[in-house]
Each structure stands twice: as C-alpha cells, then as structure tokens.
C-alpha cells in the first residue's frame, strides 16, 4: 500500500468548547485511520487543531476579563490534554492564532484582493448573530420572518466579499464528475441540492467596530477576516502553502477532510471555491460523519447533554472508549450514546470474547507448558479445524485495509471480532481442558499454539484502535513490537517453540452494569414506559445486534442416519467452512441444496444434534406444512453481515 502519501484532517474545534464525545469521535476516527495507514507503511500526516478567532472567544474573554489571546491560551489545553490522554497521534496541532497560520491567511487575502476575487461593497441585509453569518430569507424555513427571530438582526454595513457565486456552475460540475469528492453519497446530493439555489458571494470581513478579534485584512485595517474563511485555510497553512512548496506538494491534495455533517456547506461549498480561486487542487474526499445523539437530540454544549470522554476513559480505560466509539458508529449515520450500550459492548466484545480468550490461553500455556510455546505438529494447517480457523483469520486480515480505505472502521472491527469469536469456538470444539485431563500433550500443544498465533494476529489488527491494550496483549504473548510488522499478519508460526510468554495481564476486567442514576444526562421519557408495557415481546436494537446473521452458501448436503427430519449441511461463510444440522429433510432433497445462498446465525454456540456436530443455524420460514429457506435478494459476497 506504500505507493503514496496520506493526509487526513479533523475540523479545528472552537477553542472555548470543552471536548466531548462528538469532538473526540472525529479526532479518533482520524487517528485510527492514520494509524492503519502508518501500519501499512504509508507516510502519513494527521492534522488537528483549534479555531480561535470569532465572536465567541471574544465574548468569553470579556466575561473573564482577559484578552482573547489569553482566553484561547487558557482553553486550548483542554483539547491538547484530551488528545494526549486518548493517545491521539496527530503530527501537528494548529492554532489559528499562530503566526505561521495568520501570515498565510493574509497572503491569500491580499492575493485574492489584488486579482479582484475579493471586492468591497455595501451590505444591507440580515445577520445571524449566533452563527456569525449573513443570511437571506431563503436560508430560513419557508414563511419564517427574519425579523421575528431574536438572533437575527438587520444590518447595513460596508464589507468585503469573495466572488463565490461565479464558481457555482464549475462546482456543480466538479461534484458531479467526481463522485469520491463528497462522501457519503447522500451528502453529495445534499450539497448539490444546496447548489440548486443561487450561490451568493461570501462576505469575508467583519468591521472591527463590531468584532475586533480576528486576522486583520491586509488591505483594510478597519476589518478582520470572517472566522470561517480564516479557519478553513488551516488545512493548507500548516503544511507549507506559500511557504514551503515541496512540503506542500508532499501532502496536498488531502486524502480526507473528516467533518461532522453540521459543517458540510462550509467544507463542500466555501472551501472548494476558495481553493479554486487560489488555483489549488481540490481535496480528494470530504467525508461527513453523523452525529452522536443522546436520545434523539444532538449531543452538544447548547443542549446540555454532553458526555465527557475523559470521564468515560477514567472509568473504563482509554482503549475501551476508543473501541466503543469506532465499533458503534457507522460513519455517515448517526449513532446513539448510552452508558448501557457502552457497558454491554465492553463486556461482550472486550471482557468476554477477547480478554477471556487471552487469559484462558495464557493460563493453560503456563500450567501445561511452563509458560513456553510448545512445538506444534509440522503441517498443522493441513488439519481441517486449524486450516479453517486460519482462513477466517486471513479473511479478517484481508478485510481490514478496504474497510479502512472506505471509512468503515466499524466493519473492520466487526471482521476482527468475528475472527476472535472463531478462535473461541475453535477452543470450545477442541476442548483443551479435556485434552489436558486425558494427557494428550501434542493435541493440547497444537490447540494452544494455534489459539496464541491467532491472538497475535488479532492484536496486530486491533492495535490502531486499542494501542495500549494490544501492547499489553502482545507483551503477555512474549512478543516484542517488531513482530507486528505487516508481513507477519499473514504469516503462520511466528511464535517460536520454547520461547517464553510474558507475564499475565487482565486486559478488560468486567464492568458493572451502570445503575440508572449513573447513566449520564439521559432524560427518560415517562410515556415510553407506558407505551412499552404491553409489548412483552420487544427486544432492543442491541439485543438484535448480538445475533450475527450472515449469508452463506451450501456446498453439500446429506441425510443423517435414523433422523428423518435432519440434513447435515456443509456450508461456506466467507472463507470459513462449517457443518450444520438443519431440520429441513422433509422439505428439501439433499441434491437440491448445493449452491443455494442462505442466511445463517453464525455465532450460535456449537452443539451436537443426534451426535452430529452443528456450528450454527440456518433461517427458514414455515407456514402450516410448508417450509422455505430464507435467501437474499441479489448478489452479495458470501459471508456478508445481515443487519
Ligand atoms: N470550528 C468549526 C470547524 C472549523 S473547520 C475548518 C467547528 N468547530 S466545533 O468545535 O463546533 O466542532 C465541530 C465538529 O465537532 C463537528 O463537525 C464534528 O466533527 C464534531 N462534533 C461536535 N458535536 C458532535 C456530535 N454530537 N456528534 C459527532 N460529532 C460532532 O464547527
């Protein structure tokens, strides 16, 4: 993957805010993406920072009786400390009050002004004080009179305008020709919808008499620059625009501007037209993720419902917060934050599936092999169980890079946890504790060795999301970091027989279910309880998500002796082959089944039915005497998740 450089940015956050889960999410998303890229050997630059000009900082400074710069200096540390604590690996942190940024903004303004891309004119119209923007009645919901809104006032003043409107046709065309430019697709349509209205020129100045805190216009000392015009430039000022051409070309065009959906227009309309006027190539992708909601409301300071990521990290650990935020949100969609969902996922994925796996394997290797790796049978992967398990691991290894490239860390994690669960299933089938009792040392050693090899690969894949805990896991496996070079991910038998394991760790101690009073900020709607009272058969979304439904293909089917209702099926789920027993013999002949695409519950505890091993369950619908298999409509890769 190391063919070129990779540059990713977050929005720069308003310095007077306190970092909350929403800010942390964008920053973590960028961090995880950057870490995966670095892991694949790609030179990577990851930028975040703070937006420090504008009315809000000015007002807060007045309230606290200090200068705006002092105000920004006092509050920026909240972001810097938060990112440090969350193990964010940004390569730079830009503050828009830094000279290195301000000089570039001034040069851009001067240049655009000299080329008549910026002009002076009288503005007579509406101004929205809360968002610090000039608006027209078109920007308001239909029928709303601007005069009726307290935060909107009529102003008449001379200002400077950027000729944004003249780029409207060009921008529409560019967006249409470059589907990757705005992602996800429905956000591209949203911008195109916005561009169906006439695009006005953009007022890029504020008279100092009204707002003195900003970058002074180089051609008129009575004005400062509009805060968004200044802020957007951070993406290029930091990497050497107009100062260090070589450096600039190393990183630009940016691969991903990660933003929340709330700042789509500024990034997909203002910023591209500004770049066009400057003759700078366009960003490759502007990716807007959804919101973290509390109930059905956006989590934000103004709603008074924010969750502090630091509190969560203190309570459950930094890596658990990183994992939850990445696993729970599908970028692009909104996600709901609840303490219950957090604890559920933590206990299920991290404490049970991953943490217990390590502690089981570690304990047994210590007890039965003196804390050293046994010598595995040569050609161990020629055996069915080990070969299938290793294939599942390789499926995860192969699935991660495209998931990351498509901004789907949640699916990358899903694939990795599927592999972790497959290792647990393998142990349940192999029963090393029974092998130990029966003193079957070679089989026991093979089983534990295989599980440890798989854990090593899972740790490597999870490292960008949970850097501290995966370091601990690898240390417990006795592995120095160098084993986590990418080449080792697909390599079998990296663990050396007779090499020692490290000391044991308790990776993820089980978390207590939060007591209702502890669930932060959630205002229960008393009517909900009443509504649900007669709905006994109702499950939560989280309950449903525990069921891993996947598409599968039937490879072979045969009858089971003395069981007239049962068939034994060989199926493939992704790369993994499994056997399952299904009660469909009276409805399907074995020969009719191979090639059929079905739906299976992939995470059911394996069982023996009439003495035949069954690893999963297929879905079928029945009515009276008729039974039909559930299939999917159209083509999808085998093993696709159904949700
Ligand atoms: N300063 C501007 C951005 C300028 S970029 C050139 C700004 N700052 S902000 O502090 O309000 O942060 C906005 C970003 O924080 C959002 O776009 C989003 O990335 C993140 N989030 C803030 N609240 C959020 C949620 N509730 N959920 C998810 N992310 C949200 O706008």
């Amino acid at each position: 993957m190391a063919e070129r450089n990779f540059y990713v940015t977050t929005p720069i956050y308003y310095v007077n805010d306190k970092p909350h889960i929403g800010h942390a999410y964008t920053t973590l998303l960028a961090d995880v993406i950057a870490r995966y890229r670095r892991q694949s050997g790609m030179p990577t630059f990851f930028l975040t920072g703070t937006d420090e000009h504008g009315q809000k900082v000015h007002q807060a400074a007045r309230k606290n009786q200090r200068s705006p710069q002092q105000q920004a200096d006092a509050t920026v540390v909240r972001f810097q400390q938060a990112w440090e604590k969350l193990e964010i690996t940004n390569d730079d942190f830009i503050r828009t009050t830094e000279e290195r940024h301000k000089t570039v903004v001034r040069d851009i303004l001067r240049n655009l002004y000299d080329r008549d891309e910026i002009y002076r004119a009288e503005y007579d119209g509406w101004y929205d004080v809360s968002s610090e923007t000039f608006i027209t009645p078109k920007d308001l919901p239909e029928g709303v009179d601007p005069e009726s809104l307290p935060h909107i006032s009529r102003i008449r003043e001379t200002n400077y305008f950027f000729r944004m409107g003249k780029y409207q046709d060009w921008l529409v065309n560019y967006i249409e020709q470059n589907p990757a430019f705005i992602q996800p697709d429905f956000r591209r349509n949203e911008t195109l919808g916005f561009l169906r209205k006439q695009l006005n020129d953009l007022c890029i100045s504020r008279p100092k008499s009204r707002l003195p805190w900003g970058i002074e216009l180089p051609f008129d000392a009575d004005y400062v620059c509009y805060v968004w015009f200044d802020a957007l430039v951070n993406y290029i000022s930091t990497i050497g625009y107009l100062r260090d051409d070589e450096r600039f070309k190393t990183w630009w065009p940016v691969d991903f501007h990660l933003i929340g959906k709330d700042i789509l227009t500024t990034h997909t309309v203002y910023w591209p037209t500004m770049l066009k006027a400057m003759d700078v190539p366009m960003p490759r992708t502007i990716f807007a993720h959804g919101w973290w909601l509390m109930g059905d409301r956006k989590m934000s300071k103004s709603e008074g419902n924010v969750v502090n990521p630091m509190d969560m990290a203190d309570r459950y650990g930094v890596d658990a917060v990183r994992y939850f935020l990445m696993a729970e949100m599908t970028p692009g969609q909104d996600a709901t934050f609840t303490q219950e969902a957090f604890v559920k996922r933590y206990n299920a994925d991290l404490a049970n599936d991953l943490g217990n796996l390590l502690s089981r394997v570690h304990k047994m290797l210590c007890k039965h092999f003196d804390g050293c790796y046994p010598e595995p049978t040569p050609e161990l992967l020629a055996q069915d169980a080990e070969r299938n398990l290793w294939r599942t691991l390789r499926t995860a290894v192969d699935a991660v890079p495209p998931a990351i490239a498509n901004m789907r860390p949640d699916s990358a994690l899903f694939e990795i946890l599927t592999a972790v669960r497959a290792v647990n299933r393998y142990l349940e089938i192999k029963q090393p504790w029974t092998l130990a009792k029966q003193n079957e040392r070679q089989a026991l050693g093979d089983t534990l060795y295989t599980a440890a090899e798989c854990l090593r690969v899972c740790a490597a894949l999870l490292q960008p999301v949970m850097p501290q805990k995966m370091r601990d896991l690898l240390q417990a496996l006795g592995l120095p970091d160098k084993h986590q070079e990418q080449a080792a991910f697909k390599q079998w038998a990296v663990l050396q027989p007779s090499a020692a394991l490290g000391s044991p760790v308790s990776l993820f101690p089980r978390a207590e279910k939060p007591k209702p009073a502890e669930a932060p900020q959630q205002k229960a709607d008393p009517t909900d309880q009443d509504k649900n009272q007669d709905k006994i058969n109702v499950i939560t979304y989280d309950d449903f998500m525990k069921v891993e439904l996947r598409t599968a293909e039937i490879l072979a089917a045969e009858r089971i002796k003395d069981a007239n209702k049962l068939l034994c099926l060989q199926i493939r789920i992704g790369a993994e082959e499994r056997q399952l027993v299904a009660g469909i013999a009276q409805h399907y002949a074995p020969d009719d089944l191979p090639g059929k695409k079905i739906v299976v519950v992939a995470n059911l505890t394996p069982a023996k039915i009439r003495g035949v091993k069954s690893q999963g369950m297929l879905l079928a619908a029945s009515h009276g005497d008729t039974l039909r298999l559930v299939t999917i409509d159209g083509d999808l890769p085998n093993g696709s998740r159904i949700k």
Side-chain angles (χ1 to χ4, degrees):
M1 267 234 271
E3 75 277 16
R4 63 175 189 82
N5 297 341
F6 183 79
Y7 176 30
V8 60
T9 66
T10 73
I12 48 172
Y13 304 104
Y14 288 129
V15 74
N16 50 320
D17 276 354
K18 275 198 198 128
H20 63 65
I21 294 277
H23 305 121
Y25 177 74
T26 324
T27 313
L28 273 169
L29 183 61
D31 185 59
V32 165
I33 300 290
R35 282 176 185 262
Y36 273 115
R37 293 296 172 147
R38 291 191 199 109
Q39 198 182 50
S40 72
M42 202 180 253
T44 295
F45 194 80
F46 161 23
L47 176 65
T48 189
T50 40
D51 192 351
E52 305 198 347
H53 292 123
Q55 193 127 317
K56 287 172 194 140
V57 176
H58 180 61
Q59 277 165 352
R62 279 192 23 195
K63 204 170 117 200
N64 295 321
Q65 295 179 329
R66 49 185 172 202
S67 71
Q69 187 63 59
Q70 286 167 334
Q71 174 67 23
D73 292 346
T75 46
V76 67
V77 287
R78 297 194 289 225
F79 282 94
Q80 289 166 331
Q81 286 167 353
W83 300 161
E84 202 176 317
K85 173 148 185 170
L86 291 177
E87 294 236 3
I88 302 297
T89 55
N90 50 305
D91 295 287
D92 204 338
F93 186 100
I94 183 75
R95 301 181 55 190
T96 52
T97 50
E98 287 176 81
E99 209 44 44
R100 61 175 174 150
H101 170 74
K102 292 194 291 188
T103 57
V104 177
V105 174
R106 275 190 221 112
D107 286 0
I108 291 170
L109 286 166
R110 156 71 61 201
N111 182 287
L112 293 179
Y113 183 68
D114 289 349
R115 292 196 289 115
D116 194 37
E117 294 280 347
I118 289 176
Y119 62 94
R120 185 181 158 100
E122 172 131 318
Y123 177 82
D124 181 359
W126 302 102
Y127 185 70
D128 180 340
V129 191
S130 59
S131 65
E132 297 177 45
T133 47
F134 292 85
I135 60 158
T136 64
K138 272 191 311 192
D139 299 319
L140 298 172
E142 226 166 273
V144 173
D145 174 8
E147 233 157 328
S148 67
L149 299 172
H151 57 286
I152 294 188
S153 33
R154 180 109 198 163
I155 57 169
R156 193 173 173 175
E157 70 188 19
T158 300
N159 263 309
Y160 288 87
F161 293 84
F162 163 53
R163 294 190 193 279
M164 186 161 75
K166 76 174 188 187
Y167 293 108
Q168 178 162 12
D169 291 344
W170 165 81
L171 182 58
V172 169
N173 198 34
Y174 188 85
I175 294 171
E176 282 172 350
Q177 300 296 314
N178 295 276
F181 182 51
I182 303 172
Q183 281 294 312
D185 284 350
F186 61 94
R187 295 284 169 221
R188 181 171 37 147
N189 293 338
E190 194 177 316
T191 300
L192 287 171
F194 175 86
L195 287 168
R196 273 198 282 274
K197 289 188 286 190
Q198 192 204 321
L199 186 63
N200 295 326
D201 289 346
L202 179 69
C203 178
I204 55 96
S205 64
R206 298 291 181 265
K208 279 188 185 170
S209 53
R210 197 151 58 78
L211 173 65
W213 181 233
I215 300 175
E216 188 179 287
L217 296 188
F219 41 82
D220 192 335
D222 289 337
Y223 291 85
V224 294
C225 180
Y226 168 46
V227 66
W228 267 103
F229 192 95
D230 151 12
L232 287 160
V233 170
N234 91 86
Y235 299 134
I236 54 175
S237 63
T238 315
I239 54 162
Y241 180 61
L242 298 181
R243 293 291 176 276
D244 181 345
D245 220 27
E246 206 175 315
R247 181 155 181 256
F248 182 61
K249 287 203 181 111
T250 304
W251 303 114
W252 195 262
V254 65
D255 290 82
F256 284 104
H257 281 320
L258 298 182
I259 58 168
K261 64 180 181 180
D262 46 335
I263 49 176
L264 187 71
T265 309
T266 47
H267 280 80
T268 60
V269 178
Y270 296 9
W271 182 225
T273 52
M274 285 164 64
L275 288 168
K276 178 73 181 159
M278 292 180 232
D279 200 21
V280 171
M282 290 303 118
R284 288 182 212 275
T285 297
I286 300 158
F287 188 98
H289 62 72
W291 281 346
W292 280 96
L293 305 173
M294 292 292 281
D296 57 359
R297 316 258 289 276
K298 184 191 178 193
M299 187 187 295
S300 75
K301 195 167 81 174
S302 52
E303 294 277 354
N305 61 359
V306 294
V307 173
N308 181 340
M310 299 302 108
D311 296 346
M312 296 298 290
D314 285 340
R315 188 155 169 190
Y316 301 104
V318 167
D319 282 357
V321 173
R322 292 176 60 104
Y323 178 81
F324 177 79
L325 293 182
M326 287 303 108
E328 191 78 4
M329 181 180 262
T330 298
Q333 316 291 322
D334 291 343
T336 303
F337 187 95
T338 68
Q339 196 97 350
E340 285 78 7
F342 186 99
V343 169
K344 237 184 205 172
R345 198 182 258 283
Y346 172 92
N347 281 339
D349 293 4
L350 300 181
N352 284 359
D353 291 341
L354 184 58
N356 279 351
L357 175 61
L358 174 70
S359 84
R360 258 169 162 185
V361 172
H362 195 279
K363 254 187 216 141
M364 292 197 77
L365 281 167
C366 286
K367 185 164 170 200
H368 301 289
F369 294 93
D370 292 333
C372 294
Y373 290 106
E375 177 86 43
T377 304
E379 307 299 325
L380 186 53
L381 289 189
Q383 298 181 15
D384 281 355
E386 285 73 16
R387 190 185 55 236
N388 287 340
L389 178 61
W390 189 246
R391 263 204 216 143
T392 305
L393 263 287
R394 301 225 9 190
T395 304
V397 174
D398 290 340
V400 169
I404 295 302
N406 293 326
M407 202 52 71
R408 289 296 306 273
D410 58 318
S411 7
L413 288 175
F414 180 82
E415 295 296 338
I416 302 168
L417 260 286
T418 301
V420 169
R421 288 181 198 119
V423 186
N424 280 314
R425 249 193 325 265
Y426 166 82
L427 289 184
E428 272 149 36
I429 291 167
K430 285 281 172 175
Q431 305 242 344
W433 38 94
T434 313
L435 295 174
K437 268 192 214 139
Q438 295 166 344
N439 206 19
E440 298 216 32
R441 288 195 57 79
Q442 188 60 49
L444 175 63
D446 285 351
T447 303
L448 295 175
Y449 183 87
T450 303
E453 271 290 280
C454 294
L455 262 170
R456 168 184 70 77
V457 175
C458 292
L461 294 177
L462 288 168
Q463 221 165 19
V465 178
M466 296 189 283
Q468 290 174 2
K469 292 292 178 182
M470 293 308 104
R471 262 196 307 270
D472 294 350
L473 196 165
L474 290 168
Q475 171 279 320
L477 291 181
L479 283 175
D481 268 358
K482 73 177 164 53
H483 281 292
Q484 296 314 302
E485 283 160 14
Q486 250 209 344
F489 294 9
K490 290 189 179 179
Q491 212 176 312
W492 169 253
V494 168
L495 298 170
Q496 293 302 309
S498 42
L501 280 92
S503 33
V505 281
S506 164
L507 275 189
F508 302 104
R510 259 190 95 73
E512 290 298 315
K513 255 173 105 179
K515 299 180 193 88
E518 291 177 67
Q521 316 295 340
Q522 291 170 76
K523 294 176 204 108
D525 176 353
T527 53
D528 278 355
Q529 217 182 349
D530 301 340
K531 270 189 245 155
N532 286 331
Q533 227 145 51
D534 51 358
K535 292 188 195 160
I536 306 295
N537 191 20
V538 165
I539 59 168
T540 64
Y541 178 74
D542 290 333
D543 287 336
F544 171 69
M545 287 310 285
K546 278 198 225 150
V547 182
E548 190 188 319
L549 294 176
R550 292 212 172 232
T551 60
E553 184 181 345
I554 300 181
L555 304 175
E558 60 182 8
R559 293 191 183 280
I560 295 177
K561 213 170 141 239
D562 297 331
N564 62 352
K565 290 190 180 159
L566 300 179
L567 289 183
C568 176
L569 309 179
Q570 303 305 321
I571 61 164
R572 191 166 51 224
I573 309 176
E576 191 189 351
E577 285 179 21
R578 288 205 208 165
Q579 169 171 297
L580 57 90
V581 174
I584 57 172
Q586 292 175 329
H587 307 275
Y588 289 90
D591 286 352
D592 294 343
L593 290 168
K596 278 207 187 303
K597 309 266 169 44
I598 56 168
V599 175
V600 297
V601 180
N603 61 341
L604 205 64
T605 318
K608 278 199 171 166
I609 303 177
R610 295 287 180 101
V612 181
K613 184 175 71 180
S614 182
Q615 305 160 281
M617 183 173 91
L618 56 68
L619 297 193
S622 66
H623 179 76
D625 290 339
T626 311
L627 179 143
R628 294 284 90 192
L629 292 173
V630 172
T631 59
I632 49 161
D633 174 27
D635 261 350
L636 269 185
N638 187 1
S640 299
R641 176 97 202 253
I642 294 161
K643 43 184 176 171

